[in-house]
Each structure stands twice: as C-alpha cells, then as structure tokens.
Amino acid sequence: MSVELASVEEGGGVLPSPRARVVPLSAPPATYTAAVEQYLTGAGIAKSSARIYRISLTTWGWMVAGQPAPTGRARRGAKPPAAPVSVIDDPALPQVLAELAAARADEMDADTVNRELSIARKAIGWWQRQGWVVGDPTIGIERRPAPPDRTRALAENQIAALWRLDASLREKTFWKMLYESAARADEVLCLNVEDLYPQDKRGRITAKGGATEWIHWQSGTAQLLPRLISGRTRGPLFLTGRKAPAGTATLDVCEETSRARLSYRRAEEIFEQSTRLLANPLAAPEDIDDLEGWTLHRLRHSALTHDAEGGTSTPMLLARSRHASVRSLERYARPGVDAVARHVAERDPAARRNAPR
C-alpha cells in the first residue's frame, strides 16, 4: 500500500498534511453491493459469520442510498437500490445516516442495531485500507444501551413438549442438534454434510478467525440425521423446501437437489411461530397470531443451564459453550425455579427423617 501526502506550508517549510490519501491497492468496485462481497471474501470473515455480516451490510445498503431499510416480512428477498461505493464519501451522508439509524433504532432491539453498526464500521475500515473510500459516515452514530440479558432457560417439561410438536423432519433435527450440542444456531446452519462425523456424533465448524472447532450431539440427533441427509454426501445440511433463487452463492446451494441453505432468519421465524402456544399455555389457539414464541437462542441457553444444574464442571461448560471466559458463561449458569426447588427439597432435614426406609 502506498500513501500520497498532501503538504501545507508552515513557517516557510513544507510539512505532511495529517489527511493522507491512500492509493487504492486495486480498482474500487463499481457498486456498494460489490464492495460488500469483496469485503466478505477478502477480509477473512468466517463462514459461520458471513451470512450475518451480509444481512447487516445489506441493511446499510438501503441507508447509504438514503432510504430506510425494510423490516419484518418486507425484508425477505428485498434488495437495496444500486449505489456506487463512492457514496460513502458523500459529505451529506453522515447526517442522512444519523437520521435513518435513529429511526431504525426505535423499531429494532438494541443488540441488533449495535451489531449492525459494528459490522458496518468493520467493513468501512477494510474499504479504507483498500483505498476505496476515505471517510466513515457512521462516526457520530452512538451504540444503543442494551438491556441486561434476561433470557431464561426453558424448563425440562417445556423441552419435552417441544419434542412432541408436529414438526417437519428438518425442524426436529435442527432443534435437537441445537439443544444437544448447545451450539449457536448460525454455526449449525453453516454445517455441510461433509462436515459431519456421524460415528463420533460430532461436527466440524469454522469459528471466528477461521479456527476449526467441534460440536457434539447425542442419540436424539444421531437417530434423525440419516433420514435428513437421505444419501447426500455434500452440500448444506439444512435445506429450504424449494430450489435456490438465481444469484444464490454456490456454497449455499446443494448440487444434488438444487435447494438452498436454510437461512437463520427463516429458521428463527419457523421456531418462533411453532412455539407460540408452548410459550403461552393459557392462550387459546385462535389467538396464536397475537402471541410470541421462543427464540432459537433459548435452546442453547437451556442446554447450558441444564448442564450446570446437573453438576457439570465449569471447565466442561466452557468447553461445551466454547466461551473464552467464565464471565461470559455466568448468564447460563443460573439455576431455574425447578432446580432450586429440587435443591431445597433434597436438603430438607424433616423430609429426610420422614423418608421411607
């Protein structure tokens, strides 16, 4: 990378200007969308993270074009207006982005908004290092204070009720694998058939930074996988029910069936809708459209909490969750109401005295 320095006169001498222009390492891509794709392939983004990065940067694609990003069902399949990557350096863009980002923050949860902002800044920083853009129009947009994580583990009877739902083979296998492996949903969705080691009940995933890690499952998942794979030897493990639309990345298409990899958004939507009555047991079925179900993250949360309740050691919980620190694990290690009740009952001296011999 080479840098050209402008100069300013000071006291008769010439000093480098603090504003340096980076000479591009390569020709800038023609559009913002092309710049996003080059960032995802050139910056070493892990396969398990690329999908979330692309979704977030697509959201910003609407905003850099001066339009609010669609939300909810309107977001499905929507493509942002074509805009040149040079729009990033438009002097009017920071104000436009600040207003659009503020409006979006009023509609979305703080974690989503903060994640999208962080991803946008990483991409812009990479584009700056390529010499494609100079400024960062997100400077001045503040992260939103996120509420503390109040996610609660599902009770064991709720997990049992989940397995009794009349769901498709794909959903049953996906949900079982999430719970038994305590893995993140996006990691599991990125699994390919060739990443599986069925005889060992484990699968190979690519973590942040490109490191290889392993997830492990139990007999419930092992019994369902052969039916789900149905003789396939390669390609995405979890597929949509229809052929992949034109333009879908090759890595996300099954060569044998021409179907696309199941997206996180769709998987979350199906799980939330399927669990509405389980999450609201006193509600009437006709009210289902007004209810809210569970999130996929609760399966991982529940698995780790149930492990902790069962006495699993901290080192094993760290290995199973693949967290780097005990502090990150703390929110999962809070025993639930039923576990506390069992703990108290088992230590009740009167109950022990009256127990049959």
Side-chain angles (χ1 to χ4, degrees), residues 300-324:
R300 169 175 164 85
H301 188 110
S302 301
L304 295 172
T305 298
H306 295 163
D307 275 1
E309 292 173 349
T312 301
S313 67
T314 297
M316 183 58 70
L317 285 173
L318 281 172
R320 188 150 149 73
S321 67
R322 288 170 288 112
H323 278 125

Side-chain angles (χ1 to χ4, degrees), residues 120-130 136:
R121 286 176 171 164
K122 289 178 182 177
I124 292 170
W126 191 82
W127 295 333
Q128 288 173 327
R129 292 191 291 277
Q130 308 314 304
D136 181 351

Side-chain angles (χ1 to χ4, degrees), residues 24 39 48 57 106-107 115-116 128 158 161 172 177 183 214 241 279 295 308 337 352 354 356:
Y39 165 66
S48 59
L57 292 171
D106 291 337
E107 299 181 12
R115 180 180 66 249
E116 291 175 345
Q128 288 173 327
Q158 291 176 306
K172 287 182 178 179
M177 184 177 282
W214 297 88
T295 63
V337 174
R352 288 201 298 267
N354 296 330

Side-chain angles (χ1 to χ4, degrees), residues 116-156:
E116 291 175 345
L117 178 60
S118 176
I119 289 173
R121 286 176 171 164
K122 289 178 182 177
I124 292 170
W126 191 82
W127 295 333
Q128 288 173 327
R129 292 191 291 277
Q130 308 314 304
W132 299 345
V133 301
V134 175
D136 181 351
T138 69
I139 292 176
I141 300 177
E142 297 182 355
R143 291 174 59 84
R144 293 296 170 121
D149 185 351
R150 301 299 185 191
T151 304
R152 292 189 301 173
L154 300 171
E156 292 181 4

Side-chain angles (χ1 to χ4, degrees), residues 108-116 143-144 146-147:
M108 309 294 291
D109 64 274
D111 286 337
T112 298
V113 170
N114 290 340
R115 180 180 66 249
E116 291 175 345
R143 291 174 59 84
R144 293 296 170 121

Side-chain angles (χ1 to χ4, degrees), residues 184-200:
R184 299 173 180 88
D186 58 335
E187 295 172 336
V188 171
L189 288 169
C190 282
L191 281 173
N192 289 336
V193 175
E194 61 268 30
D195 296 327
L196 307 182
Y197 292 74
Q199 67 278 12
D200 299 321

